[in-house]
Amino acid sequence: MPCGVTRATLRAMTHLPPPAEELRLLDAELRQLDARRAQLLTRRAWLIAALQPTGQPSRPWTHPRTPSATPPRPETAAPSVQKVLLVLGGVLLTLAAAVFTLVSWGHMGITGRALVLGAVTLAALAAPVPLLRRGLRSTAESVAGLGLALTVLDAYALHAAALAGTDGTGYAAAAAAVLAVAWSAYGLLPATAALRLPLPTALAAAQFPLLLWALAVDAGPYVITAALLVTAGLDAVVALRVTTASVRITAVVGAYAVGGWGVLGAGWLSVTAGGVGAATRAGALLLLAAGIALGAAWRVPGVRHALGLAIASGLLTVAALGGVVRSGVPSEWAVPAHLVFGVALLAAVWVSRLPDAVRRGLLWASGAVQALSVLWALPVVAVVVLGPAGWLGRVWGGAPSDARAAVAVETPWPPDAATAPLVLLVVAAVLALAVRAERWRPRARLGALGLLWGAVLILPAVFAIPYGAGLAVLGVVTAAALYAGRATASEARCTGLVLALVTALGLVLASLASQTATLAVLSGLTALLTAFSWRTGLAPFTAPAALVHAAALASATGAAADWPPARTALLVLAVPAAGALLAARLVEARAVVAVEITAAVTGLLAVGLAVTDQPLLALVLALCGVIAAGTALRPGRRPVGYAAAALFVLATWVRLAAWDVSTPEAYTLPVTVPALLVGVLRRRRDPRTSSWTAYGAGLTATLLPSLVAAWGDPHWTRPLLLGTAALLVTLLGARHHLKAPLVLGGSVLALVTLHELAPYVVQVTGALPRWAPPALAGLLLLALGATYEQRIQDVRRVRDVLGRMR
């Protein structure tokens, strides 16, 4: 590089070649590559077509053959065909041997029969050895299966020929044991160890000796069940110690199948045990099954299998011990006994040597026992909560003798319910004390609260305490549940509120038996719910509930005083008034809305009670209107004013109907006057408001009904007054340039005038000749045609004048 060249000069130098020339060269190279690629693809297609087995090779420019020309693919693989043939051949040979043994056995002598069958069996068992050496394993398996089947036929033939006098069941047990041992030895021989069939078959035969032996000696059900369980235990040992997959699968299937039958038998013996001794023997069998399941869970490698086996072991242990205790205690203590042993399973948490899966399985088993115990006690809770609904059909029929009679009105009292509170309390204590995990502890405490509530709720009925004391207990439970609902956690608050409202419902239903109890309970619940309504978190639920109980109290008070329903409505009407006052004091928006909705519903109840008495109905509607008007004064509740106006109008109409007033203006003017006043005020606030919006509804409410009445009125007073009013409305509309009064008043005035002049028009029409009406019509048409354009201009001018009015 020359020494005089600077860095700035180097940056200013141009590339060689220039960018345009370099781009041209690149495009030329790419075109050559594309052409070469097309040639190679053409050659490749020709080579593919040339390599096809059928047909002539195509030209270099033609495409290869389509896939439809390829030969069809075989549907079955050769190994599958081989297996089917071998299995089918083995089955046919086995059937032939069975027919030979069962049918053709008697045509040969003892020596010939033994030699033939023994020779065939030995040949079938020896044939797999050379077949395995030659690599024909599938054929060897088939022939070995035939040999194993022939050994069964040998055993049958031996019994039929030489041991026919022995017991068949005992001989079958011995034969099964001998065959199991022989097949196992055959499968373990070095020459036949490669066969997969003998060992699973031997294990399948081993399922029968103990069971058949127990049947042969006429053993009782306990021995038969023990034989099944011992067999299942041996299967479990084999499944845990043997590594061969086929043997392990057979052992697992046998353990579950035979063990399942054994467990069912032991459970049936425990349930039907007639004494402590029988229950102890059945319990021992269940403990044996539990030990087998626990041992398998300890050694099994899979976590899921270990967990399931541990659960089964825990449940079987509880069933065994609980069954023994159940046989020696009264029936009502059976569930608590099982529950105690179920809770005892929780001690597995402190046994550090137990595997995690086994520990968790025992905990799940304990939870299952506790859940079943709670399910056993739930019918008692349901009877206490829902049973008092039977008093709805016999209100104030008389106070029952005790709390149990108060709840068991139309439903029978559950048997053995004396220990139901104890069961609920024990499970509640376990949930409150034993659950330590931070994730489950809040939920466990809520569950404990619910169970504690159920236990206290059913105590009065369980102990059959006096009726009044039982109601007092329910009231205390309601207050305690409301107090628990003051918790900050949303789940705890919701649980407490639900329990409180359910208890209050049951308390009210139970109090319907006595008039005094009903009034006292409703008064106490109303005061209690009202007191808790000042809590921000409880008000959306307790405030509406307080209003509902207050309405029920008002209705009950009226019924106790022998007041008619219409008069009782005045008492009920105090509830929406109190609701309106309460809504004005509450802060939370949800509580305000809930209270207002409840107040509106109770107002409808008051109206429904007063329907039978028109004067009282008018008074109730007017008072409802006052309440609604007071509500409309609050910020954000202005639309309620429309409901207040409607209630006042309805009250006026009902009062007029009670006075037998038939004049329509008496009903319409109370609507028109307030509507027009509201229109005047609205136009003062907003002069741009249309006259139809301000005055249209008010004027229509009176003018149209009066017009209909005037057309059917034969007297002259109503049309004269209506016409005068319509003329006055029209003049006011013209004076103030208002379209609605002008159009409505003018239309009514014209129709009234037409009604009044109609008789004279009829008289004039009758006095004229028949040709006069057509002539008059023709003259009218000529006059209209002559001044058509002028009339159009007049109409446009009138339209413009009306358009400028508002």
Side-chain angles (χ1 to χ4, degrees):
M1 179 184 297
C3 296
V5 179
T6 63
R7 294 183 179 272
T9 305
L10 289 175
R11 285 194 297 266
M13 291 176 64
T14 58
H15 296 279
L16 293 176
E21 181 64 17
E22 185 177 0
L23 180 62
R24 187 185 64 79
L25 293 176
L26 291 176
D27 291 338
E29 289 292 334
L30 291 175
R31 285 194 295 271
Q32 292 178 4
L33 289 175
D34 291 337
R36 181 59 178 167
R37 185 175 184 277
Q39 293 175 1
L40 293 176
L41 289 176
T42 304
R43 182 61 180 174
R44 180 179 180 278
W46 183 85
L47 291 174
I48 292 175
L51 291 175
Q52 292 179 352
T54 58
Q56 298 296 328
S58 59
R59 301 289 182 181
W61 56 81
T62 60
H63 297 284
R65 289 183 177 269
T66 60
S68 61
T70 59
R73 183 178 180 181
E75 297 181 357
T76 306
S80 301
V81 176
Q82 173 190 347
K83 291 180 181 179
V84 171
L85 294 177
L86 291 176
V87 172
L88 184 59
V91 171
L92 292 178
L93 289 175
T94 303
L95 292 176
V99 172
F100 170 77
T101 304
L102 299 176
V103 179
S104 301
W105 186 257
H107 299 290
M108 301 180 65
I110 183 64
T111 305
R113 288 177 284 182
L115 291 175
V116 170
L117 196 57
V120 173
T121 302
L122 291 176
L125 294 176
V129 177
L131 292 175
L132 290 174
R133 293 176 180 175
R134 295 185 179 183
L136 302 177
R137 183 170 181 173
S138 299
T139 306
E141 293 283 357
S142 299
V143 177
L146 174 62
L148 298 178
L150 289 175
T151 56
V152 178
L153 295 176
D154 289 338
Y156 171 77
L158 179 62
H159 180 267
L163 303 174
T166 60
D167 178 61
T169 306
Y171 178 81
V178 171
L179 289 176
V181 174
W183 290 350
S184 300
Y186 179 73
L188 295 175
L189 291 175
T192 57
L195 296 174
R196 292 176 293 183
L197 187 61
L199 292 180
T201 308
L203 187 59
Q207 308 300 312
F208 301 99
L210 291 178
L211 176 62
L212 294 176
W213 169 80
L215 295 175
V217 298
D218 293 331
Y222 294 95
V223 178
I224 295 175
T225 305
L228 291 174
L229 293 176
V230 171
T231 303
L234 296 176
D235 290 334
V237 172
V238 173
L240 293 173
R241 292 187 175 273
V242 177
T243 58
T244 305
S246 58
V247 179
R248 176 178 291 180
I249 293 174
T250 305
V252 170
V253 173
Y256 279 113
V258 179
W261 282 107
V263 168
L264 289 177
W268 177 255
L269 292 175
S270 178
V271 171
T272 59
V276 178
T280 303
R281 292 193 295 272
L285 294 175
L286 289 174
L287 286 177
L288 174 61
I292 295 172
L294 181 61
W298 200 303
R299 300 295 182 183
V300 72
V303 177
R304 293 185 178 179
H305 289 86
L307 182 64
L309 290 171
I311 293 174
S313 176
L315 294 177
L316 290 173
T317 303
V318 173
L321 300 178
V324 174
V325 176
R326 182 184 65 246
S327 62
V329 297
S331 58
E332 61 266 17
W333 289 98
V335 174
H338 288 81
L339 178 60
V340 169
F341 292 116
V343 174
L345 292 178
L346 296 176
V349 177
W350 291 279
V351 181
S352 59
R353 297 183 58 186
L354 288 176
D356 291 338
V358 175
R359 186 183 295 108
R360 286 191 288 118
L362 294 178
L363 294 180
W364 277 102
S366 176
V369 173
Q370 296 178 56
L372 292 175
S373 302
V374 171
L375 287 178
W376 172 81
L378 283 183
V380 185
V381 180
V383 170
V384 173
V385 174
L386 302 177
W391 291 109
L392 292 174
R394 53 181 82 175
V395 177
W396 298 348
S401 58
D402 52 38
R404 182 180 299 180
V407 297
V409 183
E410 296 180 354
T411 56
W413 182 249
D416 301 334
T419 57
L422 177 62
V423 169
L424 296 177
L425 289 175
V426 170
V427 179
V430 171
L431 289 177
L433 301 176
V435 178
R436 299 291 183 178
E438 293 295 332
R439 177 184 177 185
W440 296 101
R441 188 166 180 79
R443 301 178 184 178
R445 288 182 175 179
L446 292 179
L449 177 62
L451 294 175
L452 179 62
W453 166 81
V456 178
L457 188 69
I458 64 178
L459 278 176
V462 169
F463 290 105
I465 65 176
Y467 174 66
L471 295 182
V473 171
L474 294 180
V476 172
V477 172
T478 304
L482 286 175
Y483 185 80
R486 297 169 64 249
T488 56
S490 59
E491 296 180 354
R493 184 188 303 119
C494 180
T495 303
L497 286 172
V498 171
L499 296 180
L501 295 178
V502 171
T503 310
L505 176 61
L507 177 59
V508 171
L509 292 176
S511 67
L512 294 178
S514 171
Q515 175 179 319
T516 305
T518 302
L519 296 177
V521 166
L522 290 176
S523 301
L525 289 178
T526 302
L528 180 65
L529 293 170
T530 304
F532 277 94
S533 297
W534 299 114
R535 302 287 303 182
T536 305
L538 302 180
F541 306 95
T542 55
L547 294 180
V548 171
H549 285 83
L553 175 62
S555 302
T557 303
D562 292 331
W563 287 0
R567 191 174 178 183
T568 305
L570 296 176
L571 284 178
V572 176
L573 200 59
V575 177
L581 296 176
L582 182 62
R585 298 290 301 276
L586 293 176
V587 178
E588 191 174 356
R590 294 186 306 165
V592 172
V593 174
V595 167
E596 290 175 345
I597 293 175
T598 308
V601 173
T602 54
L604 292 177
L605 174 63
V607 172
L609 292 174
V611 166
T612 56
D613 192 335
Q614 288 186 348
L616 284 178
L617 177 61
L619 178 59
V620 169
L621 289 172
L623 293 176
C624 289
V626 172
I627 297 172
T631 303
L633 296 177
R634 292 167 41 211
R637 295 295 185 268
R638 296 299 175 82
V640 183
Y642 296 106
L647 290 171
F648 284 130
V649 170
L650 288 176
T652 305
W653 288 355
V654 172
R655 173 55 65 181
L656 292 174
W659 288 339
D660 295 330
V661 176
S662 59
T663 304
E665 287 79 9
Y667 295 90
T668 57
L669 286 177
V671 179
T672 297
V673 173
L676 293 178
L677 292 176
V678 172
V680 170
L681 294 176
R682 185 170 183 179
R683 278 185 60 83
R684 284 185 178 181
R685 293 180 180 179
D686 187 6
R688 294 175 298 179
T689 304
S690 173
S691 62
W692 287 105
T693 304
Y695 308 119
L699 293 174
T700 304
T702 295
L703 291 178
L704 292 183
S706 298
L707 179 62
V708 173
W711 273 63
D713 193 349
H715 303 287
W716 59 270
T717 306
R718 186 188 300 276
L720 177 60
L721 295 176
L722 180 59
T724 303
L727 177 60
L728 182 60
V729 170
T730 304
L731 294 177
L732 289 174
R735 172 67 180 80
H736 296 284
H737 300 279
L738 299 176
K739 183 186 296 186
L742 183 61
V743 173
L744 292 175
S747 301
V748 172
L749 180 60
L751 292 174
V752 171
T753 304
L754 177 61
H755 174 267
E756 293 301 315
L757 296 179
Y760 301 101
V761 172
V762 172
Q763 292 179 3
V764 172
T765 303
L768 291 176
R770 292 186 177 181
W771 52 266
L776 293 175
L779 292 175
L780 179 61
L781 291 175
L782 289 176
L784 290 175
T787 59
Y788 183 74
E789 185 176 1
Q790 184 64 34
R791 296 295 181 269
I792 291 177
Q793 294 179 357
D794 295 340
V795 171
R796 288 176 178 174
R797 189 178 299 108
V798 172
R799 185 187 63 185
D800 294 339
V801 172
L802 292 175
R804 288 192 295 270
M805 296 181 181
R806 290 172 293 176

